[in-house]
Amino acid sequence: MSQPLTPALTHFDAAGQAHMVDIADKATTRRVALARGSIRMRPDTFELIRSGSAKKGDVLGVARIAAIQGAKRTADLIPLCHPIAMTRVSIDFALDAPASAVHCTARVECVGQTGVEMEALTAVQVGLLTIYDMCKAADRGMVIDDVRLLEKHGGKSGSFVADTSQP
């Protein structure tokens, strides 16, 4: 016989069945989430991105649009996520030459009854996957890592700020 699930797992009912959380009675507040992740690669692949000389074109420009699209399509990808009317999605890429890495940061905002953490995390992943896709002919050994929520603000649970001193 299985153990009952902890009440902290809101996507399961008392019988352990998955369900979409009822947000009807939640207050409408401004919600903000900030997520970040990285893709590491060989130095020559990094140089293709930095110089803009990749065969498929402007890697970071395409990845930025893909990341925004990923945030917008989160509810289609994650089964129990609510569709959210986002008010802002911004994507920043930072080039890290010493590490031969590109860091992607997504900031997603809405005014609503549920948070945008999943949208920010999805945006980061889709942006990094797009970089991989556009550069895989040059480097199939790229590694996507360190994807995490950095901050979340708004809603009943208030704010969360990650301890970035921990890996």
Side-chain angles (χ1 to χ4, degrees), residues 8 27 47 64 70 88 117 126 145 150 159:
E47 183 55 29
R64 179 173 286 105
R88 178 181 182 194
E117 299 97 282
V126 171
D145 60 10
L150 295 178
S159 292

Side-chain angles (χ1 to χ4, degrees), residues 36-49:
R36 184 174 192 252
S38 302
I39 184 167
R40 293 179 287 114
M41 62 203 66
R42 292 190 328 240
D44 57 319
T45 307
F46 178 85
E47 183 55 29
L48 286 174
I49 294 169

Side-chain angles (χ1 to χ4, degrees), residues 59-97:
V59 172
L60 298 183
V62 173
R64 179 173 286 105
I65 297 301
I68 293 167
Q69 189 66 22
K72 292 167 58 177
R73 301 296 299 258
T74 298
D76 294 332
L77 299 169
I78 311 295
L80 300 178
C81 281
H82 292 83
I84 296 176
M86 290 167 277
T87 57
R88 178 181 182 194
V89 178
S90 66
I91 308 298
D92 291 311
F93 292 104
L95 299 174
D96 183 349

Side-chain angles (χ1 to χ4, degrees), residues 23-167:
I23 61 170
D25 294 329
K26 291 177 80 176
T28 298
T29 62
R30 181 169 181 258
R31 318 271 183 146
V32 178
L34 187 68
R36 184 174 192 252
S38 302
I39 184 167
R40 293 179 287 114
M41 62 203 66
R42 292 190 328 240
D44 57 319
T45 307
F46 178 85
E47 183 55 29
L48 286 174
I49 294 169
R50 191 200 61 73
S51 68
S53 60
K55 286 184 182 180
K56 292 186 179 181
D58 178 9
V59 172
L60 298 183
V62 173
R64 179 173 286 105
I65 297 301
I68 293 167
Q69 189 66 22
K72 292 167 58 177
R73 301 296 299 258
T74 298
D76 294 332
L77 299 169
I78 311 295
L80 300 178
C81 281
H82 292 83
I84 296 176
M86 290 167 277
T87 57
R88 178 181 182 194
V89 178
S90 66
I91 308 298
D92 291 311
F93 292 104
L95 299 174
D96 183 349
S100 293
V102 178
H103 309 292
C104 177
T105 303
R107 180 184 179 94
V108 180
E109 301 181 24
C110 78
V111 177
Q113 294 169 288
T114 191
V116 287
E117 299 97 282
M118 295 307 298
E119 288 72 14
L121 288 162
T122 301
V124 167
Q125 290 281 29
V126 171
L128 296 173
L129 285 168
T130 300
I131 292 170
Y132 185 96
D133 180 53
M134 293 189 71
C135 297
K136 68 181 182 263
D139 184 357
R140 293 195 189 275
M142 292 176 282
V143 175
I144 294 171
D145 60 10
D146 298 327
V147 176
R148 66 188 296 189
L149 181 68
L150 295 178
E151 296 182 25
K152 168 256 184 237
H153 304 285
K156 187 171 103 175
S157 65
S159 292
F160 164 81
V161 177
D163 178 358
T164 55
S165 68
Q166 299 296 315

